[in-house]
Amino acid sequence: MRSTRAVGLADHLWELYGRMAEEMGSDREALVNEAMHVFARLNGYLVPVQAGASRRSSPAPQAEEEVATPPPAARGEPPSPPPGASAQPVSHDAPPPIPSGVVAPGGRDLFLLRDDGSEVRVGEARFLIGRGRHCHLVLDGPKVSREHAAIFREGDGWFIEDLQSANGTWHRQARIDRRRIADGDEFFVCAERVRCQLR
């Protein structure tokens, strides 16, 4: 159940969320709710999920389930699995940590292609995307977080993980937490499109 509430919102923010909703294929109310959800999560309040349920099947959070609770890491619990990754039961084993260092030889290389024609080879085991100058792929958009997402190799595959960014990492108009990268996948870091090629 969702109740309608009157909340004062600055005009420039209302217009900003309208543009974001149009770019992301969502609606303004869903994005405002998501922003409130992210703010609560970043301050230690989370949305608990029923076992086996995806935490985000759409950009809109389920506000009626929100309960003040410490973050999973503080409780020693694993993070929620990525949405739509598998129909299999959710594993309660924590995922392996994102590795650091140089990618070992073997497997297919991953290249990121941007709309401006530039191409970047992912050569690090933990490849950072964000606004920070230390990132391997620097995106200057004002909505991009300092460390927005990370790409890493796990086994013979590549994965992308959103680093709890304020505006999210998107695939096919759905916000993702973590997802295996397939050849030809397109991800949006805010309004920045990144296409993936495996060679």
Side-chain angles (χ1 to χ4, degrees):
M1 180 173 123
R2 181 173 297 194
S3 302
T4 302
R5 293 177 175 85
V7 177
L9 192 63
D11 290 341
H12 71 281
L13 290 175
W14 186 248
E15 292 169 10
L16 171 68
Y17 279 100
R19 289 197 312 272
M20 288 172 61
E22 187 175 318
E23 290 173 9
M24 296 176 176
S26 183
D27 64 69
R28 190 171 3 210
E29 183 180 313
L31 292 180
V32 171
N33 274 282
E34 180 68 10
M36 295 172 68
H37 168 79
V38 170
F39 181 79
R41 185 176 69 178
L42 291 175
N43 286 280
Y45 298 87
L46 294 178
V47 180
V49 188
Q50 295 176 356
S54 172
R55 185 163 60 89
R56 282 196 197 104
S57 58
S58 70
Q62 300 300 314
E64 64 273 12
E65 296 177 5
E66 289 187 321
V67 175
T69 182
R75 299 190 314 263
E77 297 176 9
S80 299
S86 171
Q88 301 298 321
V90 177
S91 169
H92 295 290
D93 297 328
I98 297 176
S100 59
V102 179
V103 173
R108 293 163 66 182
D109 290 333
L110 175 62
F111 292 83
L112 306 180
L113 289 75
R114 296 180 62 192
D115 286 341
D116 64 5
S118 62
E119 177 180 290
V120 179
R121 178 181 176 272
V122 178
E124 301 291 323
R126 186 174 190 268
F127 183 93
L128 285 175
I129 300 171
R131 197 177 68 243
R133 297 294 161 202
H134 64 288
C135 292
H136 301 96
L137 178 59
V138 178
L139 303 177
D140 289 320
K143 302 174 193 172
V144 178
S145 296
R146 188 168 174 271
E147 289 188 358
H148 198 103
I151 293 176
F152 57 96
R153 188 190 286 272
E154 188 175 289
D156 63 350
W158 290 97
F159 291 79
I160 185 168
E161 183 171 325
D162 184 79
L163 300 177
Q164 297 185 347
S165 64
N167 294 304
T169 303
W170 299 78
H171 179 263
R172 295 184 179 173
Q173 298 184 353
R175 187 168 181 163
I176 61 149
D177 288 328
R178 175 175 155 146
R179 180 182 174 88
R180 186 177 180 128
I181 298 172
D183 186 37
D185 270 350
E186 291 186 350
F187 295 93
F188 280 85
V189 176
C190 298
E192 297 273 353
R193 179 170 64 168
V194 177
R195 289 175 290 153
C196 300
Q197 284 188 358
L198 295 169
R199 303 177 192 161

